[in-house]
Amino acid sequence: MKMGKLEKVLELIKGGTTREDEIAEKLGIAQEEVEGMIKILESLGYVERIEHGSESCKTCPLNKICWGSCLRPGVETFKLTDKAFSLKK
């Protein structure tokens, strides 16, 4: 079974790659294409944007080692929703 680009993006986010620029680099595609795929995944309810410094950061298990995108203006990160984890392979 061939994995589509949207599924690859979900797998990368699940594996900890949460920045658009990193996802684009790993997939060998333009960051603008990743931005479009993230918007699709958001609209389907599979990913949500993380606002650094928010409650989601305080409860994140990586909060002690994460440098956060707030240190790099304009960089956004994402996390999978429960809906994404319920997908069957």
Side-chain angles (χ1 to χ4, degrees), residues 10-64:
L10 286 174
E11 284 297 315
L12 286 171
I13 294 171
K14 184 177 181 180
T17 304
T18 59
R19 294 189 354 233
E20 290 174 343
D21 59 334
E22 291 177 333
I23 294 168
E25 184 178 326
K26 288 186 179 192
L27 294 179
I29 60 176
Q31 186 170 338
E32 292 78 16
E33 187 174 352
V34 173
E35 290 169 6
M37 289 189 284
I38 293 290
K39 286 179 183 176
I40 292 169
L41 292 169
E42 278 184 294
S43 71
L44 295 171
Y46 292 118
V47 298
E48 56 188 40
R49 293 179 193 273
I50 298 172
E51 293 182 34
H52 289 276
S54 67
E55 287 301 311
S56 60
C57 282
K58 293 176 186 172
T59 60
C60 177
L62 301 176
N63 71 352
K64 296 209 184 317

